[in-house]
Amino acid sequence: MNLENVLKLADDLIFARTGKHLNDLQETILRGTWDDEDYKEIAKTVNRSEDRVREVGMELWQILSQQLGEKVSKSNLRSAMERLQVSLFSNVGQDHVQVGNINFCEKIRQPPDIPNSNSDYQQSPTENHELSEMPELGVFYDRTSELETLKTWILQEHGRLITITGISGIGKTKLTVKLIQEIQHNFEYILWYNLDYSSSFTEFKTELIELFDQSTDSELIAKNGKRLKPIKYLQKHRCLVVIDNLHHLFYSNQLAGQYQSEYEEFRYLFKQIEELSHQSCFLLIGWEQPIELAEIRSSNPRFKALTIRGLETTTIAEFFPEQELGEYEKLTPRIHHYQGNPLWLNIIANFIPEMEDFGDKIIENNTIFLPQSLKDNLQKQFNRLSPIEKQVLLELVQQEQPVNLAQLLIRGQIPSSDLLNALQSLFRRCWLEKPDHFYYLPPVPRQYIAQMLTKPD
């Protein structure tokens, strides 16, 4: 969709509501939003404070929401304006088209440039669901057990705070997308928020509160005209909030789940969600969970934690015949070696055919091969580990068989308190498995670490 058309449509909507055309700051916010700039970047462009730009932006989205009769925010501006243009174009035979409170005449209507969409979820204008950041489902392998568990926790046991953790590529986000598609009608409001390195609590809080703009009543507005804290909205309405990539809140090079100082406000919000009475649910997805949440599971039945493991052999094996990689019996050990991780197996499935004559030998010899893209995937997670965790992994890679805590303590390479904390952190980060109280380093991480040990300086 052409940006100039967007600005023209937005100007008409603003003028119809306020009697004034877009000012320079409003236009800059629209242009920056269209180019996926955050408020901080837009503020630099116009030499204004970020708070001022955010305030004007929120006023702008509220006016557009009122005029279009649907929720408009910074994250869904593009889709909202595309729906408007589609509406105008579909009524091309009429002289005037009524949208919200204004009439658009024939001269401003142009055929829209609409990108194709294969999204599994199409948002209805009447739903209070902000899912523009939710990824497409794509290929989804059977997770019946995990889905049923989450549905029970959310719909029957009314869980308030649920963490979904697992190593990268295991399918945490896809599982949650599938879940949302199946339970979305049980909630008045849904927000999917994707954390990245530049996210802030203020930005998240703004996205959350914007979700309620159209239906916010006087009970939720303070006497001085300011919005109340997010918990007040969550107590008033039945809401589902998804936060993806939760690990961005935590420090790298430290034990799992320790908040960076600039994200402490998330800690306080999660504490409110866990302790105060309300009817909403938070789903937190990431490589690790907050350390304090890991410690309260047994004391609060409204808090749940699900660790995603590899897919069943029979499920993931369905993918391989399409890749013509051989018989099922030959593939079973390979699926086990790669922990049933869909991403890792997809990398291998696409890599082996490129090996031509060596592909069959790799399968037959059960070679654990690490293509560069798989190494890159592991490197991102390895870089987050603390020095003591890396030291423990180096100890474990030298053990041919799984070892228990007593055996590690006997070696005496690491002080006992540090060893216990590091093992617990590695287990929470899904680097280790713990069958029958023995610590086990799976084949792919083991091979990756072994290669790092032999890498020249």
Side-chain angles (χ1 to χ4, degrees):
M1 187 176 179
N2 186 282
L3 175 57
E4 297 308 315
N5 287 344
V6 171
L7 295 174
K8 176 68 173 93
L9 292 174
D11 184 68
D12 289 333
L13 291 166
I14 298 298
F15 184 80
R17 183 72 181 181
T18 67
K20 299 179 181 179
H21 291 285
L22 282 172
N23 60 38
D24 290 343
L25 181 53
Q26 289 172 325
E27 181 175 334
T28 301
I29 291 172
L30 284 169
R31 288 182 179 276
T33 299
W34 200 256
D35 292 333
D36 294 324
E37 294 179 354
D38 57 28
Y39 285 122
K40 187 174 184 179
E41 292 172 312
I42 296 171
K44 289 181 180 179
T45 302
V46 293
N47 197 26
R48 300 284 188 93
S49 71
E50 182 180 350
D51 288 343
R52 176 55 181 163
V53 171
R54 189 182 301 278
E55 180 184 354
V56 173
M58 291 183 66
E59 292 173 354
L60 181 60
W61 311 139
Q62 186 169 9
I63 295 172
L64 293 175
S65 296
Q66 292 167 343
Q67 290 302 97
L68 293 179
E70 67 166 289
K71 176 71 170 63
V72 179
S73 66
K74 189 175 186 299
S75 60
N76 78 336
L77 173 67
R78 185 181 294 270
S79 59
M81 298 305 285
E82 285 172 351
R83 280 193 291 274
L84 170 59
Q85 195 172 36
V86 169
S87 175
L88 296 175
F89 182 54
S90 64
N91 293 279
V92 71
Q94 303 177 20
D95 291 333
H96 292 79
V97 177
Q98 182 80 22
V99 176
N101 300 319
I102 95 173
N103 284 312
F104 286 91
C105 61
E106 176 69 27
K107 65 180 181 179
I108 72 167
R109 296 203 303 273
Q110 299 176 4
D113 178 17
I114 309 170
N116 292 327
S117 174
N118 296 317
S119 174
D120 293 277
Y121 173 77
Q122 297 297 326
Q123 180 177 339
S124 166
T126 60
E127 290 180 335
N128 299 303
H129 296 171
E130 175 46 70
L131 300 174
S132 59
E133 293 189 10
M134 185 174 81
E136 294 182 0
L137 181 60
V139 178
F140 181 75
Y141 297 105
D142 181 46
R143 288 282 191 182
T144 302
S145 174
E146 292 90 339
L147 279 171
E148 291 305 313
T149 295
L150 289 169
K151 287 179 185 178
T152 299
W153 288 349
I154 295 170
L155 302 180
Q156 297 179 26
E157 299 180 13
H158 304 289
R160 294 176 181 170
L161 197 60
I162 298 172
T163 61
I164 302 175
T165 56
I167 203 162
S168 179
I170 205 69
K172 304 178 296 295
T173 299
K174 281 184 177 290
L175 171 64
T176 309
V177 171
K178 181 67 172 176
L179 174 71
I180 296 300
Q181 292 179 354
E182 295 190 6
I183 69 171
Q184 58 187 304
H185 299 301
N186 292 276
F187 293 88
E188 298 176 68
Y189 297 88
I190 302 178
L191 172 66
W192 185 293
Y193 186 80
N194 188 31
L195 279 167
D196 57 36
Y197 293 105
S198 63
S199 298
S200 67
F201 182 78
T202 299
E203 181 182 277
F204 166 74
K205 185 172 67 173
T206 300
E207 290 277 345
L208 182 59
I209 294 177
E210 281 182 352
L211 188 66
F212 303 95
D213 272 353
Q214 286 185 276
S215 60
T216 298
D217 54 39
S218 57
E219 296 179 36
L220 296 180
I221 301 296
K223 293 181 179 179
N224 61 3
K226 295 182 180 179
R227 291 183 176 87
L228 300 181
K229 296 178 180 179
I231 188 66
K232 300 297 183 182
Y233 297 92
L234 302 173
Q235 291 173 327
K236 178 74 174 179
H237 301 284
R238 175 70 166 150
C239 312
L240 178 63
V241 179
V242 181
I243 300 181
D244 200 2
N245 291 318
L246 186 72
H247 46 270
H248 287 315
L249 298 182
F250 312 127
Y251 281 110
S252 294
N253 302 315
Q254 293 192 19
L255 297 178
Q258 301 190 52
Y259 288 90
Q260 298 183 60
S261 56
E262 61 265 36
Y263 294 131
E264 283 289 337
E265 287 180 286
F266 278 98
R267 182 204 296 270
Y268 302 137
L269 174 62
F270 296 154
K271 188 173 181 62
Q272 287 183 310
I273 296 301
E274 186 248 325
E275 293 181 344
L276 300 181
S277 175
H278 60 88
Q279 53 182 327
S280 298
C281 176
F282 269 58
L283 286 175
L284 311 179
I285 312 168
W287 296 342
E288 55 197 80
Q289 61 178 296
I291 190 168
E292 74 277 6
L293 297 185
E295 296 170 349
I296 63 173
R297 272 186 306 192
S298 60
S299 62
N300 190 334
R302 294 293 185 90
F303 169 72
K304 305 288 185 180
L306 180 65
T307 299
I308 306 300
R309 303 297 181 184
L311 291 165
E312 296 292 334
T313 301
T314 53
T315 299
I316 197 70
E318 295 174 3
F319 173 77
F320 284 92
E322 301 174 10
Q323 304 294 328
E324 300 179 353
L325 292 182
E327 300 175 1
Y328 172 83
E329 291 77 10
K330 293 181 179 179
L331 292 172
T332 300
R334 179 152 310 283
I335 294 170
H336 173 72
H337 288 330
Y338 288 89
Q339 296 173 253
N341 186 308
L343 174 63
W344 296 356
L345 287 165
N346 186 56
I347 291 172
I348 295 300
N350 285 283
F351 180 81
I352 289 178
E354 298 177 4
M355 298 294 290
E356 297 180 353
D357 297 337
F358 295 99
D360 292 336
K361 293 180 180 179
I362 290 175
I363 292 176
E364 292 174 1
N365 296 334
N366 286 329
T367 306
I368 299 174
F369 192 76
L370 303 182
Q372 187 59 48
S373 55
L374 203 163
K375 289 182 181 180
D376 292 343
N377 177 262
L378 288 167
Q379 185 71 42
K380 293 176 183 177
Q381 297 164 86
F382 186 80
N383 288 344
R384 293 187 61 82
L385 303 182
S386 64
I388 191 66
E389 287 175 294
K390 293 176 181 178
Q391 187 178 350
V392 170
L393 288 177
L394 295 180
E395 280 284 312
L396 290 172
V397 82
Q398 298 174 45
Q399 309 298 315
E400 295 183 1
Q401 300 295 327
V403 295
N404 59 27
L405 179 60
Q407 290 171 311
L408 288 171
L409 288 171
I410 289 173
R411 290 179 61 85
Q413 299 297 315
I414 303 171
S416 58
S417 59
D418 290 342
L419 177 61
L420 286 167
N421 288 331
L423 287 170
Q424 186 179 50
S425 182
L426 286 167
F427 186 72
R428 288 174 177 170
R429 283 173 159 154
C430 300
W431 276 84
L432 298 181
E433 296 179 3
K434 193 180 178 183
D436 300 324
H437 304 289
F438 282 79
Y439 291 97
Y440 169 68
L441 186 59
V444 169
R446 174 181 288 274
Q447 181 76 359
Y448 171 76
I449 295 167
Q451 289 185 11
M452 291 190 63
L453 284 173
T454 58
K455 185 166 52 176
D457 296 331

